Amino acid sequence: MVRAYDPRVIETKWQERWERDRAYSVDEDPAKPKYYVLEMFPYPSGDIHMGHVRNYTIGDVVARQLTMAGHQVLHPIGWDAFGLPAENAAIKSNTHPAEWTYANIDKQASSFKRMGFSYDWDRTVVTCDEDYYRWGQWIFLEFWERGLVERKSSPVNWCPSCKTVLANEQVLGGGECWRCKSTVEKRELEQWYFKITEYADELLDDLDTLTGWPERVKAMQANWIGRSEGAEVDFTLCDAEGEPTEKTITVFTTRPDTLFGCTFFLLAPEHPLVHELVHGTEYAASVLEVVAAAAKETAVERAMGEREKRGAFTGRYVVNPVNGEKVPVWVADYVLMEYGTGAVMAVPCGDQRDFEFARAYGLPIPPVVLPEDDPALESLREVRERVVDDVTWECAYDGPGIMVQSGTFTGMPTGKGGTGVAAVTRWLEDRGKGRFAINYRLRDWLISRQRYWGNPIPAVHCSACGLVPVPERDLPVRLPPEVDITKGETLADHPEFYETTCPSCGGPARRETDTMDTFTCSSWYYLRYCDARNEQAIWDSAKAGYWMPVDQYIGGIEHAILHLLYSRFFTKVFRDMGLVSFGEPFTRLLTQGMVRKDGDVMSKSKGNVVAPEDMIAEFGADALRAYILFMAPPDKDLEWSREGLEGMYRWLGRVWRLVSEVAEVTAVGCGVATAADLESKALHREMHRVIGKVSDDISRFQLNTSIAAMMELTNAAYEYRNNVAPGARDRALERSVAESLTLLLAPYVPHMAEELWSGVLAAEGSVHRQGWPAFDAAAAAADEVEMAVQVNGKVRGRVTVAADAAEEQVIAAALEAVAGHLEGKEILKTVVVAGKLVSVVVR
RNA sequence: GCCCGGGUGGCGGAACUGGCAGACGCGCCGGUCUCAAAAACCGGUGGCCGAAAGGCCGUGCGGGUUCGAUUCCCGCCCCGGGCACCA
């Protein structure tokens, strides 16, 4: 009588043994090819959820399979432990953030162990540990020395609920805080920045080298960086009497070829020049009204997009450099101070926004670019000076075409590559009135946070010396544990923390009390894993050189911009510092889909959460692992189904019984499968087909179909058992199938496979130390194939032929099989697709 | 508006670079075992017509290329996501 499958007993047993044996600790081994599998490290929020199960199971299967396939695999884990939720939870439960954080880490760590994840626990990093965050401070100082740190005052995003500023990347589409979803406000504040814009070009260009990344992630980053090429153009400002002054205002435009169509000039309401221009004039009242209305707008209203555009004339003019025309300067609420220069040349014929504005305020709209097939082109092409002051169009034309009413450029194509663009830019450059320019949407990364539970910024404010970095020898700046978060305290409430002396002059000074954005901590943890316990350096470059870059990174799409962009930036700086020799940290990226239930993402607020711990208790971690991989491809969303999990548990039971039954009548080394008869041959072939399929599927992350293939092998083995009398069975073959199946299953259901291997089958060593089953193409090849026969594109019959049959033989057999459909017809053509089908065309 | 995904049975999903659509699982239906149930095992399961053999239809919609299209091309529709008054 075979023992029943009991995951509870098996799983605990092996988990204890793996932990005792430090079974998954690795070191560098130059003799083996390395592979670094990394899942985005978790925030210690408490209980694990299905998203964790999915993310970490995918990585675990890859890590385990590659280990069996002969790679030296690094598969670490750690915790992104600083951050606001710890503060909020501490306030709620009247504890300290550290207490809450470490308790949750313990909780999650034991859940991960219950899932059977093969982590190297000796390399664990926790970002709120002093021996981790001190290196974060060291990075800050290095960045500072390289001129990548800046403290400046500008309008920033402020979350009133989190009581801190946020980076642009942390403000969601509707102007909401990424963490608490409150509407953010704009405030003018002095803050710390990392100059990520210095790497904008590289961050964009290198996306092309990331062939192992999903298109959509690259598209999102490219979108976010938002590079546009064009020109800067200098407009001369006129005085109140309309006479040109020495002063110029520069604009950025992507369409210098439309410069002749500029009939007015716009300033953002926040533009510093606005007040100066209208001060004491009759235009002041209406202009300031526009300015005030714009200031009142919240980020949400601004994000609403196209609304009615408002503006007011300032009473001043600027000179258009290409034609010397004086055009009026207006203030308009659709001009953004954050982008470009905060000033815009308005070309109403070519820009829909300018078009609408011109219509609303009665400004002229002369055409300067016409589509190539426009009938008006004939009469306008030769005209050098302007003759048409207003178009009859319904909307602006921003496509390519022929330049008209554009002085010496008239008749020139704007061109796909920008012929007119280049010509006008050169013209401006020659006269010192403009230049080629590139603009980015990307802003510098605001990294300071007015919160306690974070990495202190190692800087000192000295009234004599200004901003002074904390010397490296004084690191770390310790985060004092005595801050009482339940009373709303921050570092700024603790004089014993901030009262200090200036490292430069020795005089009294004030320590910086802001902490760093948690995303600074997660931008380099993958490198620290390579040498997690190093106390002398951030990491040993030989060790990082061995393991890095990460071969396969796995995580949620929510980090498509945030974490992934920041980490790429850090890596490029590390490269420039000589700390690493590569510029991209993650060679391949997989963004796993979400786990849904009843159509919604699982969440506490929706009340549709299925707790992994409950499922483990009921069906075991192995069934849960296999289930979550089987239900959908890893990158697609997955709809939770309890029935599906039950089905997976059933299959594992089937495998268990199959292997157990075979083990009862066979022994290790019971001989080589002869596979003499037809049934045995078929099973032998199926075994090799599945070995090939599973190996291939794993390499392409088609984990769902790899499990389907193992189910097929299970079904084939059962069919063999049911159809062949016990005495006639090839026992060695059955043994071989059972062993192969167990090996294939090892990465997916590590506990069950281990028990089957070393317990049930009584084979040698740990299943996880065995070699991955080798695919034998010859053994997988069939000697006979069934082919479909099509007549005029429809399947009308099928033939079974020898796999190596000559084409003439195949055609002859095929024609015979569909003879009924060929009567009285003329055969025009036959097509043979080897091993698949024969297509006959008749008339 | 721009940029990415995606539309296949009752459901989740298969189908490598154009080659038998629906693998595998769930669900459902029928059977074996049982006093009965559960478990397990066996069989069936895209739609329509048919007793069956078989036939016709079928991968969001409309065209096209091809002996052959879920796959390639053109034109749409719908769903999800990112960015968005970015000059």
Side-chain angles (χ1 to χ4, degrees), chain A residues 7 93-94 198 273 280 304 306 316 416 440 467 512 563 583 616 674 724 768 816 822 839:
Chain A
S93 54
N94 200 29
E198 302 222 337
L273 222 53
M304 293 280 286
E306 275 163 61
R316 293 287 200 102
K416 270 200 192 107
Y440 299 92
L467 289 173
E512 172 62 56
H563 163 63
I616 294 171
T674 46
V724 181
H768 303 293
E816 200 187 319
L822 302 177
S839 181

Side-chain angles (χ1 to χ4, degrees), chain A residues 720-775:
Chain A
Y720 182 79
R721 193 200 61 169
N722 294 336
N723 296 342
V724 181
R729 286 183 216 155
D730 184 336
R731 292 300 186 189
L733 172 64
E734 287 193 296
R735 174 86 193 181
S736 166
V737 168
E739 287 182 0
S740 298
L741 190 54
T742 302
L743 290 167
L744 293 176
L745 278 166
Y748 300 83
V749 286
H751 315 85
M752 186 179 103
E754 187 77 295
E755 184 65 28
L756 284 176
W757 185 260
S758 47
V760 175
L761 289 167
E764 193 123 333
S766 163
V767 73
H768 303 293
R769 295 274 163 252
Q770 305 305 311
W772 185 249
F775 171 59

Side-chain angles (χ1 to χ4, degrees), chain A residues 269-270 289-302:
Chain A
E270 303 86 3
E289 198 180 310
V290 171
V291 171
K296 259 201 291 193
E297 292 219 301
T298 64
V300 176
E301 284 166 323
R302 253 192 129 109

Side-chain angles (χ1 to χ4, degrees), chain A residues 330-478:
Chain A
W330 288 60
V331 166
D333 63 356
Y334 68 94
V335 178
L336 306 172
M337 192 60 216
E338 308 89 86
Y339 186 78
T341 61
V344 172
M345 63 175 229
V347 182
C349 72
D351 182 288
Q352 187 57 25
R353 294 155 301 169
D354 297 342
F355 184 90
E356 286 165 21
F357 192 82
R359 278 284 151 89
Y361 290 96
L363 295 157
I365 312 177
V368 292
V369 174
L370 294 177
E372 221 149 331
D373 56 357
D374 194 310
L377 208 49
E378 282 317 304
S379 56
L380 278 170
R381 177 171 273 168
E382 290 310 315
V383 174
R384 298 281 175 205
E385 70 275 21
R386 193 200 290 174
V387 292
V388 179
D389 260 345
D390 217 353
V391 300
T392 54
W393 310 337
E394 296 286 312
C395 62
Y397 176 73
D398 61 4
I402 304 297
M403 296 170 69
V404 296
Q405 308 203 96
S406 300
T408 55
F409 301 98
T410 292
M412 190 178 276
T414 55
K416 270 200 192 107
T419 313
V421 172
V424 175
T425 306
R426 209 174 317 116
W427 189 96
L428 289 166
E429 274 174 353
D430 289 347
R431 286 155 188 79
K433 288 177 174 176
R435 62 219 62 89
F436 175 79
I438 296 169
N439 232 294
Y440 299 92
R441 219 189 74 97
L442 181 71
R443 297 280 80 114
D444 276 332
W445 175 11
L446 198 174
I447 57 137
S448 43
R449 297 290 179 272
Q450 293 69 53
R451 305 298 316 189
Y452 160 68
W453 192 234
N455 190 1
I457 292 175
V460 167
H461 301 259
C462 172
S463 50
C465 313
L467 289 173
V468 182
V470 171
E472 200 183 317
R473 62 173 184 278
D474 292 344
L475 295 188
V477 176
R478 271 193 195 84

Side-chain angles (χ1 to χ4, degrees), chain A residues 54-76:
Chain A
R54 197 173 189 197
N55 190 186
Y56 301 124
T57 300
I58 294 167
D60 198 51
V61 168
V62 174
R64 287 179 178 278
Q65 196 268 338
L66 285 165
T67 302
M68 290 176 76
H71 289 78
Q72 192 71 353
V73 174
L74 177 57
H75 188 215

Side-chain angles (χ1 to χ4, degrees), chain A residues 14-46:
Chain A
W14 289 109
Q15 283 158 16
E16 281 167 6
R17 202 160 303 181
W18 293 335
E19 182 155 11
R20 188 195 66 201
D21 297 346
R22 297 170 60 244
Y24 303 106
S25 291
V26 286
D27 282 311
E28 301 78 47
D29 180 352
K32 282 203 216 166
K34 70 96 185 176
Y35 202 93
Y36 189 171
V37 185
L38 182 65
E39 301 103 53
M40 290 181 187
F41 68 167
Y43 181 81
S45 49

Side-chain angles (χ1 to χ4, degrees), chain A residues 40 134 185 224 269 386 435 517 628 631 654 662 832:
Chain A
M40 290 181 187
R134 62 164 295 160
E185 299 166 3
W224 185 258
R386 193 200 290 174
R435 62 219 62 89
D517 182 3
I628 210 142
M631 280 303 276
R654 258 162 76 76
V662 169
V832 177

